Amino acid sequence: MSYFPGSLVVMNDTPARLLTLLSLLQTPREWPGSELAERLRVSARTIRRDIERLRELGYPVEATLGSEGGYRLVAGAAMPPLLLDDEEAVAIAVGLRAGAGHAIEGVDEASVRALAKLEQVLPARLRRRVGALQSATVAVTRGDGASVDPRTLTTMAAAVAGPERLRFAYRARDGAESRRLVEPYRLVSTGSRWYLVAYDLERDDWRTFRVDRVGDPFPTGARFTPRALPVDAAEFVRRGLRGAQTYAVEVTFAAPAQALPGWLRGEEVPVAGGCRVRFESGDAPEWLAARLALTGEEFTVHSPPALAEAARVLAARLARSSPAGA
């Protein structure tokens, strides 16, 4: 049986219940026993028995004392049975960190959640290896300072999953510094940048935050009931970008719309031998020209003029890099 966040499911089947319990515990937060029992619709005694079964299987579940008591999955002396050996775990963690930190196309919130879960259970010796490999790796990015620390993303992902209120420092577009207290709702990747959609408690309104401008995020421990966002999170970010130094783009491709990557989808009109696409962009023309070239399809830029010029400059540079007669 699948588990969907926020839902209550009846778990009479022990293996299915254990898998659901493990899925909850892999979220980097502490779960009171009563909350787990309510989620799975079983007794607190059953939860205690299931926790013991997970420990017998090698999962390092830690219990805390108190009137409620709580459980969380912590790093153990060895990898729990995730069907990954040490080398595979390190490779996956490094890859997810690199992709998350630089907003590579196709690496979205699900990858950040996976990274948060994996790093939650990595033993210290493997975490050190991941950190060493990451620090020794130089990634080629767009060069405008938009890369982010993967730890920032995993902290935010954990707060979204909690759900837990989040504090952080924020630098606005004009350079103004502020401290924010928010209820995090979703992380959204545009392919070149990460954004956090959250409810700003001090401004009493929904806000979008560029993650590369966030500093020192930390969860407050205060839980909250998620509010209803007026629109889809991705659409909320798109609307914000349209009002923040964006411009209209019109490009004809020598390929059908279905052959184009998802980030290029906008208003698509079929034409002879391909399609014409119109969309909004906030990217620098030089960066957007490079992304258009990376589609592998022939294209013609109709507007804006700055993008057409950037494409011509890029084409000339690539032509000069090829030996004559090659």
Side-chain angles (χ1 to χ4, degrees):
M1 183 178 294
S2 300
Y3 168 74
F4 297 92
S7 67
L8 292 176
V9 293
V10 179
M11 283 288 177
N12 294 321
D13 179 66
T14 300
R17 189 176 66 244
L18 286 175
L19 287 173
T20 303
L21 177 59
L22 182 59
S23 176
L24 291 171
L25 291 175
Q26 284 182 327
T27 302
R29 58 160 288 194
E30 184 173 300
W31 290 87
S34 58
E35 187 174 350
L36 291 173
E38 181 181 2
R39 288 280 187 127
L40 301 182
R41 289 285 182 88
V42 296
S43 67
R45 182 180 178 183
T46 298
I47 292 295
R48 288 193 294 271
R49 285 202 306 264
D50 287 347
I51 291 293
E52 288 304 315
R53 289 191 182 98
L54 289 178
R55 288 170 175 161
E56 291 170 3
L57 290 172
Y59 289 92
V61 182
E62 180 180 84
T64 57
L65 301 177
S67 58
E68 275 287 317
Y71 302 96
R72 63 190 183 97
L73 197 63
V74 297
M79 283 290 295
L82 294 174
L83 303 181
L84 295 174
D85 61 27
D86 285 3
E87 300 303 321
E88 291 170 335
V90 170
I92 290 173
V94 170
L96 288 173
R97 275 190 172 196
H102 301 290
I104 293 174
E105 186 71 28
V107 178
D108 56 13
E109 184 189 353
S111 296
V112 177
R113 291 199 306 270
L115 176 59
K117 289 180 178 180
L118 182 57
E119 292 198 337
Q120 175 74 8
V121 297
L122 280 179
R125 59 187 171 81
L126 295 187
R127 272 197 239 106
R128 285 193 293 271
R129 288 179 59 188
V130 170
L133 281 171
Q134 185 73 15
S135 63
T137 302
V138 177
V140 178
T141 63
R142 58 181 294 170
D144 67 351
S147 62
V148 299
D149 186 339
R151 289 172 296 183
T152 297
L153 284 172
T154 54
T155 297
M156 289 182 167
V160 169
E164 189 172 350
R165 289 178 178 174
L166 192 68
R167 283 192 182 275
F168 53 82
Y170 192 68
R171 175 176 51 83
R173 188 170 54 200
D174 60 4
E177 303 279 351
S178 62
R179 299 290 301 180
R180 302 299 183 98
L181 174 63
V182 305
E183 293 177 350
Y185 183 77
R186 288 288 185 275
L187 282 165
V188 177
S189 171
T190 64
S192 59
R193 291 194 180 99
W194 280 98
Y195 294 88
L196 173 69
V197 176
Y199 193 85
D200 192 316
L201 293 169
E202 295 174 352
R203 289 155 181 79
D204 197 25
D205 199 5
W206 289 97
R207 290 288 190 271
T208 298
F209 301 96
R210 264 181 56 174
V211 176
D212 59 294
R213 293 176 177 166
V214 169
D216 303 321
F218 68 92
T220 64
R223 309 289 178 191
F224 66 91
T225 300
R227 306 166 192 260
L229 185 66
V231 295
D232 175 78
E235 176 61 23
F236 186 77
V237 170
R238 281 194 291 267
R239 291 183 183 181
L241 292 178
R242 283 197 290 267
Q245 298 182 344
T246 61
Y247 52 90
V249 178
E250 186 171 348
V251 182
T252 295
F253 288 89
Q258 56 267 31
L260 302 178
W263 68 266
L264 263 174
R265 298 305 168 84
E267 180 186 345
E268 299 144 17
V269 180
V271 297
C275 68
R276 181 169 292 199
V277 181
R278 301 181 182 91
F279 61 96
E280 297 282 330
S281 177
D283 288 320
E286 295 77 12
W287 170 248
L288 182 56
R291 294 186 75 195
L292 293 173
L294 287 172
T295 63
E297 307 291 348
E298 292 188 14
F299 65 92
T300 301
V301 177
H302 302 289
S303 65
L307 178 59
E309 176 61 22
R312 282 193 290 270
V313 170
L314 177 62
R317 184 180 302 131
L318 292 175
R320 288 194 301 271
S321 69
S322 300

